[in-house]
Amino acid sequence: MARNLINRYVWLVDTISRYGRITLKDLNAAWLRSEISEGKPLARRTFFHYRDGVEEMFDINIQCDKSTFEYYIDDSGGENNARLRSWVVDSVSMSGTLSNARDVSGRIMLENVPSAREHLPVVIDAMKQNRRIRFSYKSYTRSLPTEGIVLEPYFVKIFKQLWYVIGFNVNDKQIKTYALDRISSLNILQDTFVMPEEVNPSEFFKDCFGIITNRNSAKRIVLRVEPTQAKYFRALPLHSSQQEVVHDDYSIFTYKMRITYDLKEEIMSHGATIEVLEPKELKLLIRDELERAIKHYQTVES
């Protein structure tokens, strides 16, 4: 029964999201066309019950425009809230799509991604209460895990399908980033903290690509990109500062970003389809990495 109820919540969010705005009459017609209705109409009282359930479970508010009697998903509350709601709506909608595709499950290929399902709710709960957390962390650069890390969790961020928590490391007395899939023995402490006013999650990574940041100033970064790759950059920009000038055989993409490890790795991952034009320090960084890589193949036997 609980699964059926969640599926109905998912259907409701997905349908209203796809229509943008929809009357209860049209919603009921769509409901009857779906298998989830089992041929029974969506009663007004049931709809209100589901609407309350959606708000409680997903923090998604379904509002009514009283001038048109149309229902819509409220995206107010600031850019971050709107972005979070959009992400939740997309995730919920995809969940509904996949749950209705069991008859072709063998033809749906999913990526194997380390899950944050275990730790993300705990971290968010600690953030809500402004409480410190303690955990062990297995860094890829160390052979043994670091035990007893105490962190004041400021915010969380997702990057390339992995969740990270960013906060103040009490022992090291600096802000650090930790991947949730490498955390173990996570506990919420009784100790509370005050979120510093100067720490703004939106500003923290504003000039960065990825999850790694530094104290360097943002640079004007110019990339020459081949036409096919340019289409991917248009569909999924590297950064919010992205600007493009299209030429016959290439595009010039301009950004304002800090030079970080994540940015270097991203540029190199596209191989010969991208050329760094500016700044010089990034050109040299990429060149040195490529020269080191070439050395691995200079003695290839024929």
Side-chain angles (χ1 to χ4, degrees):
M1 178 63 185
R3 178 181 295 180
N4 289 338
L5 191 58
I6 292 174
N7 287 340
R8 290 168 184 173
Y9 293 168
V10 168
W11 181 91
L12 189 62
V13 172
D14 182 35
T15 303
I16 297 177
S17 177
R18 283 189 287 108
Y19 277 86
R21 287 171 171 262
I22 187 171
T23 63
L24 190 55
K25 178 181 178 181
D26 290 337
L27 186 66
N28 185 51
W31 170 268
L32 288 172
R33 289 194 299 269
S34 70
E35 295 181 0
I36 203 168
S37 70
E38 299 178 347
K40 299 177 182 178
L42 180 63
R44 179 183 294 271
R45 182 185 225 175
T46 303
F47 165 71
F48 290 141
H49 175 70
Y50 290 170
R51 184 176 70 167
D52 292 341
V54 165
E55 181 176 0
E56 181 179 354
M57 178 166 290
F58 301 119
D59 195 25
I60 295 174
N61 298 318
I62 299 173
Q63 299 289 352
C64 179
D65 185 338
K66 294 183 179 179
S67 63
T68 62
F69 298 103
E70 293 174 320
Y71 290 90
Y72 62 94
I73 293 177
D74 180 19
D75 60 359
S76 62
E79 182 181 352
N80 283 339
N81 283 343
R83 204 159 37 221
L84 177 59
R85 286 193 187 94
S86 177
W87 186 85
V88 171
V89 169
D90 288 344
S91 299
V92 168
S93 298
M94 183 57 65
S95 173
T97 299
L98 293 176
S99 66
N100 290 326
R102 283 174 297 212
D103 53 338
V104 290
S105 60
R107 295 156 62 185
I108 299 175
M109 307 299 293
L110 300 177
E111 190 173 357
N112 184 21
V113 178
S115 175
R117 187 168 53 244
E118 178 182 359
H119 298 316
L120 184 60
V122 180
V123 172
I124 290 177
D125 190 28
M127 289 166 54
K128 288 180 177 179
Q129 301 180 65
N130 281 338
R131 292 189 181 276
R132 292 175 174 175
I133 55 176
R134 179 189 287 120
F135 55 88
S136 299
Y137 192 72
K138 183 66 172 69
S139 171
Y140 291 153
T141 60
R142 297 185 179 184
S143 58
L144 296 176
T146 303
E147 308 285 349
I149 295 175
V150 177
L151 190 78
E152 297 177 352
Y154 289 166
F155 52 94
V156 293
K157 177 180 171 72
I158 188 171
F159 177 62
K160 292 191 174 181
Q161 296 182 286
L162 293 176
W163 282 98
Y164 298 82
V165 56
I166 298 91
F168 182 75
N169 184 305
V170 175
N171 297 325
D172 294 345
K173 299 190 183 305
Q174 58 180 303
I175 296 178
K176 290 190 172 183
T177 300
Y178 297 92
L180 295 193
D181 63 297
R182 291 174 237 162
I183 284 177
S184 61
S185 304
L186 174 63
N187 293 293
I188 299 178
L189 303 179
Q190 292 299 316
D191 302 336
T192 61
F193 66 92
V194 178
M195 181 80 171
E197 294 183 3
E198 67 273 13
V199 177
N200 186 319
S202 298
E203 293 291 321
F204 194 81
F205 289 104
K206 184 183 72 170
D207 296 327
C208 298
F209 172 85
I211 199 67
I212 297 176
T213 185
N214 54 45
R215 297 180 181 274
N216 299 334
S217 59
K219 304 282 186 179
R220 182 176 184 266
I221 294 172
V222 183
L223 306 177
R224 175 179 169 137
V225 183
E226 292 185 358
T228 300
Q229 184 59 48
K231 294 178 181 178
Y232 288 96
F233 279 11
R234 288 184 209 121
L236 191 63
L238 287 183
H239 190 257
S240 59
S241 64
Q242 177 171 297
Q243 295 183 344
E244 179 187 7
V245 177
V246 180
H247 297 268
D248 291 339
D249 300 320
Y250 61 91
S251 285
I252 299 295
F253 286 90
T254 305
Y255 306 88
K256 183 181 179 182
M257 285 190 286
R258 299 178 190 178
I259 298 175
T260 64
Y261 175 83
D262 284 339
L263 178 61
K264 180 201 71 175
E265 292 294 297
E266 179 67 18
I267 291 173
M268 292 189 63
S269 72
H270 297 289
T273 65
I274 294 179
E275 177 188 357
V276 177
L277 301 182
E278 297 179 32
K280 184 177 180 180
E281 60 184 290
L282 182 56
K283 288 171 62 75
L284 294 175
L285 184 63
I286 298 295
R287 188 196 67 181
D288 291 345
E289 284 288 318
L290 291 174
E291 287 178 347
R292 280 195 288 270
I294 289 172
K295 288 180 180 179
H296 295 302
Y297 301 96
Q298 287 179 335
T299 58
V300 175
E301 297 180 1
S302 59

